[in-house]
Amino acid sequence: MCRVEIALQVLAVVVTVAFVAGASRRAGVSAPLALVVVGIAGSFIPDIPSFELDPDLVLFGLLPPLLYAAAIRTSLVDFASTKEALLWLSVGFVIVSTLAVGLVTWWIVPSISIAAAIALGAVVAPPDAVAATSIARRVGMPRRIVTILEGESLVNDATALVALSAAITAITGSVTVASVGLDFLVAAGGGVAIGLAVTWLLIRIRRRIDDPVLDTTLSFTAPFVAFLPAEAIHASGGLAVVGTGLLLGHKAPTLQSAASRINETVNWSTVQFLLENAVFLLIGLQLKTLIQDVADTDLAAGRVAVICATVLLATIAG
Protein backbone atom coordinates (compact mmCIF):
# COMPACT_ATOMS: atom_id res chain seq x y z
CA MET A 1 0.00 0.00 0.00
CA CYS A 2 1.51 3.37 -1.06
CA ARG A 3 1.70 6.41 1.18
CA VAL A 4 -0.96 8.25 -0.82
CA GLU A 5 -3.45 5.41 -0.21
CA ILE A 6 -2.67 5.45 3.51
CA ALA A 7 -3.22 9.22 3.63
CA LEU A 8 -6.52 8.87 1.75
CA GLN A 9 -7.70 6.18 4.17
CA VAL A 10 -6.86 8.33 7.18
CA LEU A 11 -8.69 11.26 5.58
CA ALA A 12 -11.70 9.06 4.83
CA VAL A 13 -11.87 7.90 8.45
CA VAL A 14 -11.68 11.47 9.78
CA VAL A 15 -14.32 12.77 7.36
CA THR A 16 -16.64 9.83 8.08
CA VAL A 17 -16.25 10.30 11.83
CA ALA A 18 -17.02 14.02 11.59
CA PHE A 19 -20.04 13.53 9.29
CA VAL A 20 -21.62 10.60 11.16
CA ALA A 21 -21.01 12.09 14.62
CA GLY A 22 -22.40 15.46 13.52
CA ALA A 23 -25.47 13.86 11.95
CA SER A 24 -25.99 11.68 15.05
CA ARG A 25 -25.98 14.72 17.33
CA ARG A 26 -28.58 16.45 15.19
CA ALA A 27 -30.75 13.32 15.14
CA GLY A 28 -30.31 12.63 18.86
CA VAL A 29 -28.70 9.25 18.17
CA SER A 30 -25.68 7.83 20.02
CA ALA A 31 -22.66 8.61 17.82
CA PRO A 32 -20.62 5.53 18.90
CA LEU A 33 -23.46 3.16 18.01
CA ALA A 34 -24.08 4.94 14.71
CA LEU A 35 -20.39 4.72 13.82
CA VAL A 36 -20.30 0.98 14.56
CA VAL A 37 -23.31 0.46 12.28
CA VAL A 38 -21.73 2.58 9.53
CA GLY A 39 -18.50 0.64 9.93
CA ILE A 40 -20.31 -2.69 9.65
CA ALA A 41 -22.10 -1.54 6.51
CA GLY A 42 -18.87 -0.18 5.07
CA SER A 43 -17.02 -3.44 5.65
CA PHE A 44 -19.24 -5.14 3.04
CA ILE A 45 -18.66 -2.52 0.33
CA PRO A 46 -16.28 -4.13 -2.21
CA ASP A 47 -14.01 -1.11 -2.71
CA ILE A 48 -13.57 -0.42 0.99
CA PRO A 49 -10.23 -1.89 2.17
CA SER A 50 -10.26 -4.21 5.15
CA PHE A 51 -9.05 -2.75 8.43
CA GLU A 52 -7.45 -4.62 11.28
CA LEU A 53 -6.82 -2.91 14.61
CA ASP A 54 -3.33 -3.76 15.79
CA PRO A 55 -3.53 -4.61 19.54
CA ASP A 56 -0.25 -2.76 20.17
CA LEU A 57 -1.57 0.32 18.38
CA VAL A 58 -4.67 0.31 20.57
CA LEU A 59 -2.79 -0.40 23.81
CA PHE A 60 0.15 1.97 23.35
CA GLY A 61 -1.18 4.49 20.86
CA LEU A 62 -4.89 5.03 21.54
CA LEU A 63 -5.55 3.95 25.12
CA PRO A 64 -3.21 6.37 26.97
CA PRO A 65 -4.54 9.60 25.40
CA LEU A 66 -8.17 8.43 25.67
CA LEU A 67 -7.78 7.58 29.36
CA TYR A 68 -5.98 10.87 30.01
CA ALA A 69 -8.60 12.91 28.16
CA ALA A 70 -11.34 11.33 30.28
CA ALA A 71 -9.35 11.68 33.53
CA ILE A 72 -8.58 15.40 33.24
CA ARG A 73 -12.31 16.05 32.80
CA THR A 74 -13.21 14.02 35.90
CA SER A 75 -13.50 15.86 39.21
CA LEU A 76 -11.01 14.52 41.76
CA VAL A 77 -13.39 15.60 44.56
CA ASP A 78 -16.30 13.65 43.04
CA PHE A 79 -13.96 10.73 42.36
CA ALA A 80 -12.82 10.62 45.99
CA SER A 81 -16.38 10.91 47.32
CA THR A 82 -17.37 7.68 45.54
CA LYS A 83 -14.23 5.68 46.39
CA GLU A 84 -16.13 2.89 48.23
CA ALA A 85 -18.41 2.24 45.27
CA LEU A 86 -15.47 2.48 42.89
CA LEU A 87 -13.48 -0.07 44.90
CA TRP A 88 -16.32 -2.58 44.97
CA LEU A 89 -17.07 -2.18 41.27
CA SER A 90 -13.50 -2.04 39.97
CA VAL A 91 -12.38 -5.08 41.99
CA GLY A 92 -15.39 -7.12 43.07
CA PHE A 93 -17.53 -6.57 39.99
CA VAL A 94 -14.69 -7.31 37.57
CA ILE A 95 -13.76 -10.53 39.41
CA VAL A 96 -17.37 -11.75 39.51
CA SER A 97 -17.91 -10.89 35.82
CA THR A 98 -14.65 -12.57 34.85
CA LEU A 99 -15.61 -15.79 36.62
CA ALA A 100 -19.19 -15.69 35.32
CA VAL A 101 -18.17 -15.19 31.69
CA GLY A 102 -15.38 -17.75 32.05
CA LEU A 103 -17.64 -20.45 33.47
CA VAL A 104 -20.34 -19.85 30.85
CA THR A 105 -17.73 -19.99 28.08
CA TRP A 106 -16.28 -23.22 29.50
CA TRP A 107 -19.78 -24.69 29.69
CA ILE A 108 -20.73 -23.86 26.12
CA VAL A 109 -17.28 -24.65 24.66
CA PRO A 110 -16.06 -27.63 26.73
CA SER A 111 -13.14 -28.22 24.38
CA ILE A 112 -11.22 -25.28 25.84
CA SER A 113 -9.67 -25.26 29.30
CA ILE A 114 -11.20 -23.42 32.23
CA ALA A 115 -8.10 -21.21 32.39
CA ALA A 116 -8.52 -20.15 28.75
CA ALA A 117 -12.21 -19.47 29.35
CA ILE A 118 -11.41 -17.27 32.36
CA ALA A 119 -8.80 -15.44 30.28
CA LEU A 120 -11.58 -14.56 27.85
CA GLY A 121 -13.70 -13.44 30.79
CA ALA A 122 -10.92 -11.16 31.99
CA VAL A 123 -10.73 -9.56 28.56
CA VAL A 124 -14.44 -8.79 28.14
CA ALA A 125 -15.60 -8.30 31.75
CA PRO A 126 -14.24 -4.83 32.63
CA PRO A 127 -16.41 -2.01 31.25
CA ASP A 128 -14.65 0.02 28.61
CA ALA A 129 -13.56 3.54 29.59
CA VAL A 130 -14.18 4.93 26.13
CA ALA A 131 -17.71 3.54 25.90
CA ALA A 132 -18.62 4.73 29.40
CA THR A 133 -17.29 8.22 28.76
CA SER A 134 -18.94 8.45 25.33
CA ILE A 135 -22.39 7.17 26.24
CA ALA A 136 -23.07 7.81 29.95
CA ARG A 137 -23.29 11.58 29.64
CA ARG A 138 -25.61 11.36 26.63
CA VAL A 139 -28.44 9.40 28.24
CA GLY A 140 -29.29 11.81 31.05
CA MET A 141 -27.90 9.80 33.98
CA PRO A 142 -27.55 11.58 37.36
CA ARG A 143 -24.15 13.18 37.94
CA ARG A 144 -23.19 10.78 40.75
CA ILE A 145 -24.02 7.70 38.66
CA VAL A 146 -22.03 9.09 35.73
CA THR A 147 -19.08 9.75 38.05
CA ILE A 148 -19.18 6.20 39.42
CA LEU A 149 -19.49 4.59 35.98
CA GLU A 150 -16.72 6.68 34.46
CA GLY A 151 -14.50 6.34 37.51
CA GLU A 152 -14.90 2.57 37.66
CA SER A 153 -14.19 2.20 33.96
CA LEU A 154 -11.00 4.21 34.42
CA VAL A 155 -9.55 2.19 37.33
CA ASN A 156 -10.65 -1.39 36.63
CA ASP A 157 -7.55 -1.92 34.50
CA ALA A 158 -5.46 -3.37 37.34
CA THR A 159 -8.02 -6.04 38.28
CA ALA A 160 -8.54 -7.14 34.68
CA LEU A 161 -4.78 -7.18 34.07
CA VAL A 162 -4.10 -9.42 37.07
CA ALA A 163 -7.00 -11.76 36.23
CA LEU A 164 -5.78 -12.13 32.65
CA SER A 165 -2.18 -12.68 33.75
CA ALA A 166 -3.22 -15.34 36.29
CA ALA A 167 -5.38 -17.15 33.71
CA ILE A 168 -2.60 -17.15 31.12
CA THR A 169 -0.13 -18.47 33.70
CA ALA A 170 -2.60 -21.21 34.68
CA ILE A 171 -2.78 -22.37 31.06
CA THR A 172 0.89 -23.39 31.07
CA GLY A 173 1.57 -23.83 34.79
CA SER A 174 0.01 -23.19 38.17
CA VAL A 175 -0.94 -20.13 40.17
CA THR A 176 -1.38 -19.50 43.87
CA VAL A 177 -3.41 -17.01 45.85
CA ALA A 178 -0.17 -15.42 47.04
CA SER A 179 1.14 -14.92 43.50
CA VAL A 180 -2.16 -13.41 42.37
CA GLY A 181 -2.17 -11.07 45.37
CA LEU A 182 1.41 -10.00 44.65
CA ASP A 183 0.59 -9.37 41.00
CA PHE A 184 -2.34 -7.20 42.05
CA LEU A 185 -0.18 -5.17 44.43
CA VAL A 186 2.41 -4.64 41.69
CA ALA A 187 -0.22 -3.71 39.09
CA ALA A 188 -2.23 -1.36 41.30
CA GLY A 189 0.49 -0.06 43.60
CA GLY A 190 3.02 0.32 40.81
CA GLY A 191 0.54 2.14 38.61
CA VAL A 192 -0.41 4.58 41.37
CA ALA A 193 3.25 5.15 42.30
CA ILE A 194 4.27 5.87 38.71
CA GLY A 195 1.30 8.20 38.33
CA LEU A 196 2.29 10.17 41.44
CA ALA A 197 5.93 10.39 40.34
CA VAL A 198 5.03 11.57 36.84
CA THR A 199 2.57 14.11 38.25
CA TRP A 200 5.27 15.49 40.58
CA LEU A 201 7.67 15.83 37.63
CA LEU A 202 5.15 17.44 35.27
CA ILE A 203 3.97 19.91 37.91
CA ARG A 204 7.51 21.19 38.32
CA ILE A 205 7.99 21.49 34.58
CA ARG A 206 4.59 23.12 34.07
CA ARG A 207 5.35 25.83 36.65
CA ARG A 208 8.19 27.01 34.38
CA ILE A 209 6.06 27.22 31.24
CA ASP A 210 4.09 30.35 30.32
CA ASP A 211 3.44 29.66 26.64
CA PRO A 212 -0.02 28.01 26.14
CA VAL A 213 1.25 26.12 23.08
CA LEU A 214 4.21 24.63 24.97
CA ASP A 215 1.95 23.88 27.90
CA THR A 216 -0.46 21.95 25.69
CA THR A 217 2.48 20.13 24.09
CA LEU A 218 3.57 19.03 27.57
CA SER A 219 0.03 17.84 28.21
CA PHE A 220 0.12 15.67 25.07
CA THR A 221 3.21 13.88 26.39
CA ALA A 222 1.74 13.27 29.86
CA PRO A 223 -0.26 10.07 29.14
CA PHE A 224 2.68 8.38 27.44
CA VAL A 225 5.21 9.50 30.06
CA ALA A 226 2.96 7.85 32.67
CA PHE A 227 1.88 4.78 30.69
CA LEU A 228 5.17 3.50 29.29
CA PRO A 229 7.22 3.29 32.54
CA ALA A 230 4.32 1.57 34.31
CA GLU A 231 4.00 -1.03 31.56
CA ALA A 232 7.78 -1.54 31.61
CA ILE A 233 7.63 -2.72 35.26
CA HIS A 234 4.44 -4.78 34.60
CA ALA A 235 2.29 -2.34 36.55
CA SER A 236 -1.01 -0.89 35.40
CA GLY A 237 -0.32 1.75 32.78
CA GLY A 238 -3.99 2.65 32.84
CA LEU A 239 -3.91 3.50 36.54
CA ALA A 240 -0.74 5.55 36.06
CA VAL A 241 -2.38 7.59 33.29
CA VAL A 242 -5.64 8.05 35.20
CA GLY A 243 -3.82 9.13 38.37
CA THR A 244 -1.73 11.64 36.42
CA GLY A 245 -4.78 13.02 34.61
CA LEU A 246 -6.88 13.34 37.77
CA LEU A 247 -4.16 15.16 39.69
CA LEU A 248 -3.09 17.47 36.87
CA GLY A 249 -6.72 18.30 36.13
CA HIS A 250 -7.32 19.08 39.81
CA LYS A 251 -4.21 21.27 40.03
CA ALA A 252 -4.79 23.05 36.70
CA PRO A 253 -6.30 26.29 38.14
CA THR A 254 -3.16 26.90 40.23
CA LEU A 255 -0.63 25.74 37.64
CA GLN A 256 -1.92 27.08 34.34
CA SER A 257 -3.02 30.40 33.00
CA ALA A 258 -6.56 30.84 31.72
CA ALA A 259 -5.27 30.78 28.14
CA SER A 260 -3.39 27.52 28.75
CA ARG A 261 -6.43 25.85 30.31
CA ILE A 262 -8.69 26.91 27.44
CA ASN A 263 -6.12 25.80 24.89
CA GLU A 264 -5.66 22.43 26.58
CA THR A 265 -9.40 21.85 26.95
CA VAL A 266 -10.14 22.58 23.30
CA ASN A 267 -7.23 20.53 21.98
CA TRP A 268 -7.93 17.50 24.18
CA SER A 269 -11.64 17.64 23.33
CA THR A 270 -10.72 17.46 19.66
CA VAL A 271 -8.26 14.61 20.17
CA GLN A 272 -10.76 12.67 22.27
CA PHE A 273 -13.55 13.22 19.74
CA LEU A 274 -11.47 11.95 16.82
CA LEU A 275 -9.81 9.01 18.56
CA GLU A 276 -12.78 7.55 20.41
CA ASN A 277 -15.13 7.86 17.45
CA ALA A 278 -12.53 6.48 15.04
CA VAL A 279 -12.19 3.43 17.32
CA PHE A 280 -15.91 2.69 17.06
CA LEU A 281 -15.83 3.11 13.26
CA LEU A 282 -12.83 0.78 12.93
CA ILE A 283 -14.50 -1.82 15.17
CA GLY A 284 -17.41 -1.96 12.73
CA LEU A 285 -15.12 -2.11 9.71
CA GLN A 286 -13.51 -5.29 11.04
CA LEU A 287 -16.73 -7.35 10.89
CA LYS A 288 -16.21 -8.69 7.37
CA THR A 289 -12.66 -9.79 8.21
CA LEU A 290 -13.88 -11.52 11.37
CA ILE A 291 -16.57 -13.37 9.42
CA GLN A 292 -13.96 -14.54 6.90
CA ASP A 293 -11.71 -15.75 9.73
CA VAL A 294 -14.60 -17.71 11.22
CA ALA A 295 -15.33 -19.27 7.83
CA ASP A 296 -11.78 -20.63 7.77
CA THR A 297 -12.30 -22.59 11.01
CA ASP A 298 -13.92 -25.96 11.51
CA LEU A 299 -16.82 -24.50 13.51
CA ALA A 300 -20.18 -24.01 11.83
CA ALA A 301 -21.40 -20.44 11.50
CA GLY A 302 -24.48 -21.18 13.60
CA ARG A 303 -22.34 -22.65 16.37
CA VAL A 304 -20.11 -19.56 16.41
CA ALA A 305 -23.17 -17.29 16.52
CA VAL A 306 -24.59 -19.20 19.51
CA ILE A 307 -21.26 -19.03 21.34
CA CYS A 308 -20.89 -15.30 20.73
CA ALA A 309 -24.48 -14.57 21.75
CA THR A 310 -24.13 -16.63 24.93
CA VAL A 311 -20.88 -14.91 25.92
CA LEU A 312 -22.45 -11.52 25.19
CA LEU A 313 -25.46 -12.31 27.38
CA ALA A 314 -23.17 -13.57 30.15
CA THR A 315 -21.13 -10.36 29.95
CA ILE A 316 -24.23 -8.17 30.12
CA ALA A 317 -25.76 -10.22 32.95
CA GLY A 318 -22.47 -10.28 34.85
Side-chain angles (χ1 to χ4, degrees), residues 180-200:
V180 173
L182 179 61
D183 287 344
F184 184 81
L185 288 177
V186 171
V192 171
I194 293 293
L196 290 173
V198 170
T199 302
W200 178 87

mmCIF file of all heavy atoms in Angstrom, residues 180-200:
data_model
loop_
_atom_site.group_PDB
_atom_site.id
_atom_site.type_symbol
_atom_site.label_atom_id
_atom_site.label_comp_id
_atom_site.label_asym_id
_atom_site.label_seq_id
_atom_site.Cartn_x
_atom_site.Cartn_y
_atom_site.Cartn_z
ATOM 1 N N VAL A 180 -1.139 -14.303 42.913
ATOM 2 C CA VAL A 180 -2.157 -13.406 42.372
ATOM 3 C C VAL A 180 -2.210 -12.114 43.188
ATOM 4 O O VAL A 180 -2.295 -11.010 42.637
ATOM 5 C CB VAL A 180 -3.534 -14.086 42.346
ATOM 6 C CG1 VAL A 180 -4.620 -13.083 41.951
ATOM 7 C CG2 VAL A 180 -3.537 -15.258 41.380
ATOM 8 N N GLY A 181 -2.153 -12.245 44.513
ATOM 9 C CA GLY A 181 -2.166 -11.067 45.374
ATOM 10 C C GLY A 181 -0.961 -10.173 45.121
ATOM 11 O O GLY A 181 -1.083 -8.941 45.079
ATOM 12 N N LEU A 182 0.201 -10.786 44.931
ATOM 13 C CA LEU A 182 1.409 -10.005 44.648
ATOM 14 C C LEU A 182 1.294 -9.295 43.305
ATOM 15 O O LEU A 182 1.677 -8.114 43.178
ATOM 16 C CB LEU A 182 2.628 -10.927 44.655
ATOM 17 C CG LEU A 182 3.975 -10.254 44.345
ATOM 18 C CD1 LEU A 182 4.281 -9.180 45.378
ATOM 19 C CD2 LEU A 182 5.090 -11.296 44.294
ATOM 20 N N ASP A 183 0.769 -9.995 42.310
ATOM 21 C CA ASP A 183 0.587 -9.372 40.999
ATOM 22 C C ASP A 183 -0.347 -8.165 41.089
ATOM 23 O O ASP A 183 -0.123 -7.137 40.433
ATOM 24 C CB ASP A 183 0.021 -10.387 40.000
ATOM 25 C CG ASP A 183 1.054 -11.413 39.576
ATOM 26 O OD1 ASP A 183 2.253 -11.174 39.811
ATOM 27 O OD2 ASP A 183 0.659 -12.462 39.034
ATOM 28 N N PHE A 184 -1.408 -8.309 41.899
ATOM 29 C CA PHE A 184 -2.344 -7.196 42.047
ATOM 30 C C PHE A 184 -1.677 -6.001 42.719
ATOM 31 O O PHE A 184 -1.884 -4.846 42.315
ATOM 32 C CB PHE A 184 -3.575 -7.632 42.849
ATOM 33 C CG PHE A 184 -4.627 -6.555 42.961
ATOM 34 C CD1 PHE A 184 -5.515 -6.333 41.922
ATOM 35 C CD2 PHE A 184 -4.719 -5.762 44.100
ATOM 36 C CE1 PHE A 184 -6.478 -5.336 42.008
ATOM 37 C CE2 PHE A 184 -5.678 -4.766 44.191
ATOM 38 C CZ PHE A 184 -6.557 -4.559 43.146
ATOM 39 N N LEU A 185 -0.874 -6.265 43.746
ATOM 40 C CA LEU A 185 -0.175 -5.172 44.426
ATOM 41 C C LEU A 185 0.782 -4.450 43.478
ATOM 42 O O LEU A 185 0.887 -3.224 43.496
ATOM 43 C CB LEU A 185 0.586 -5.711 45.637
ATOM 44 C CG LEU A 185 -0.260 -6.134 46.844
ATOM 45 C CD1 LEU A 185 0.629 -6.716 47.938
ATOM 46 C CD2 LEU A 185 -1.063 -4.951 47.383
ATOM 47 N N VAL A 186 1.487 -5.236 42.651
ATOM 48 C CA VAL A 186 2.412 -4.636 41.690
ATOM 49 C C VAL A 186 1.649 -3.818 40.652
ATOM 50 O O VAL A 186 2.029 -2.679 40.322
ATOM 51 C CB VAL A 186 3.260 -5.721 40.999
ATOM 52 C CG1 VAL A 186 4.067 -5.114 39.850
ATOM 53 C CG2 VAL A 186 4.196 -6.378 41.997
ATOM 54 N N ALA A 187 0.548 -4.397 40.130
ATOM 55 C CA ALA A 187 -0.220 -3.708 39.093
ATOM 56 C C ALA A 187 -0.841 -2.424 39.620
ATOM 57 O O ALA A 187 -0.707 -1.351 39.010
ATOM 58 C CB ALA A 187 -1.303 -4.634 38.541
ATOM 59 N N ALA A 188 -1.544 -2.533 40.761
ATOM 60 C CA ALA A 188 -2.235 -1.360 41.301
ATOM 61 C C ALA A 188 -1.257 -0.391 41.970
ATOM 62 O O ALA A 188 -1.241 0.807 41.668
ATOM 63 C CB ALA A 188 -3.300 -1.807 42.300
ATOM 64 N N GLY A 189 -0.439 -0.922 42.885
ATOM 65 C CA GLY A 189 0.494 -0.059 43.598
ATOM 66 C C GLY A 189 1.518 0.573 42.684
ATOM 67 O O GLY A 189 1.832 1.775 42.807
ATOM 68 N N GLY A 190 2.053 -0.225 41.753
ATOM 69 C CA GLY A 190 3.024 0.319 40.812
ATOM 70 C C GLY A 190 2.421 1.381 39.914
ATOM 71 O O GLY A 190 3.051 2.414 39.651
ATOM 72 N N GLY A 191 1.195 1.148 39.455
ATOM 73 C CA GLY A 191 0.537 2.139 38.613
ATOM 74 C C GLY A 191 0.304 3.449 39.336
ATOM 75 O O GLY A 191 0.561 4.531 38.796
ATOM 76 N N VAL A 192 -0.175 3.371 40.580
ATOM 77 C CA VAL A 192 -0.411 4.580 41.372
ATOM 78 C C VAL A 192 0.901 5.306 41.643
ATOM 79 O O VAL A 192 0.994 6.537 41.544
ATOM 80 C CB VAL A 192 -1.128 4.227 42.691
ATOM 81 C CG1 VAL A 192 -1.174 5.442 43.611
ATOM 82 C CG2 VAL A 192 -2.534 3.718 42.416
ATOM 83 N N ALA A 193 1.948 4.548 42.002
ATOM 84 C CA ALA A 193 3.249 5.149 42.305
ATOM 85 C C ALA A 193 3.832 5.874 41.090
ATOM 86 O O ALA A 193 4.324 7.006 41.200
ATOM 87 C CB ALA A 193 4.218 4.085 42.800
ATOM 88 N N ILE A 194 3.772 5.224 39.930
ATOM 89 C CA ILE A 194 4.266 5.868 38.710
ATOM 90 C C ILE A 194 3.449 7.118 38.401
ATOM 91 O O ILE A 194 4.000 8.163 38.016
ATOM 92 C CB ILE A 194 4.203 4.888 37.520
ATOM 93 C CG1 ILE A 194 5.191 3.734 37.717
ATOM 94 C CG2 ILE A 194 4.503 5.615 36.217
ATOM 95 C CD1 ILE A 194 6.631 4.124 37.670
ATOM 96 N N GLY A 195 2.143 7.036 38.573
ATOM 97 C CA GLY A 195 1.301 8.198 38.335
ATOM 98 C C GLY A 195 1.659 9.371 39.223
ATOM 99 O O GLY A 195 1.727 10.522 38.774
ATOM 100 N N LEU A 196 1.906 9.102 40.506
ATOM 101 C CA LEU A 196 2.289 10.171 41.442
ATOM 102 C C LEU A 196 3.639 10.767 41.062
ATOM 103 O O LEU A 196 3.828 11.993 41.095
ATOM 104 C CB LEU A 196 2.342 9.622 42.864
ATOM 105 C CG LEU A 196 0.999 9.249 43.502
ATOM 106 C CD1 LEU A 196 1.214 8.564 44.851
ATOM 107 C CD2 LEU A 196 0.123 10.489 43.674
ATOM 108 N N ALA A 197 4.600 9.903 40.701
ATOM 109 C CA ALA A 197 5.932 10.386 40.339
ATOM 110 C C ALA A 197 5.887 11.248 39.080
ATOM 111 O O ALA A 197 6.515 12.321 39.018
ATOM 112 C CB ALA A 197 6.873 9.197 40.140
ATOM 113 N N VAL A 198 5.135 10.804 38.080
ATOM 114 C CA VAL A 198 5.026 11.569 36.838
ATOM 115 C C VAL A 198 4.319 12.892 37.083
ATOM 116 O O VAL A 198 4.707 13.938 36.545
ATOM 117 C CB VAL A 198 4.296 10.741 35.760
ATOM 118 C CG1 VAL A 198 3.959 11.598 34.544
ATOM 119 C CG2 VAL A 198 5.152 9.556 35.338
ATOM 120 N N THR A 199 3.278 12.870 37.912
ATOM 121 C CA THR A 199 2.574 14.107 38.249
ATOM 122 C C THR A 199 3.517 15.102 38.916
ATOM 123 O O THR A 199 3.523 16.292 38.584
ATOM 124 C CB THR A 199 1.380 13.818 39.175
ATOM 125 O OG1 THR A 199 0.492 12.905 38.535
ATOM 126 C CG2 THR A 199 0.626 15.096 39.495
ATOM 127 N N TRP A 200 4.304 14.628 39.880
ATOM 128 C CA TRP A 200 5.273 15.489 40.578
ATOM 129 C C TRP A 200 6.238 16.125 39.572
ATOM 130 O O TRP A 200 6.524 17.319 39.636
ATOM 131 C CB TRP A 200 6.042 14.655 41.601
ATOM 132 C CG TRP A 200 7.092 15.407 42.352
ATOM 133 C CD1 TRP A 200 6.943 16.131 43.495
ATOM 134 C CD2 TRP A 200 8.489 15.518 41.994
ATOM 135 N NE1 TRP A 200 8.138 16.685 43.877
ATOM 136 C CE2 TRP A 200 9.096 16.332 42.981
ATOM 137 C CE3 TRP A 200 9.254 14.999 40.950
ATOM 138 C CZ2 TRP A 200 10.467 16.639 42.941
ATOM 139 C CZ3 TRP A 200 10.608 15.311 40.901
ATOM 140 C CH2 TRP A 200 11.198 16.111 41.882
#
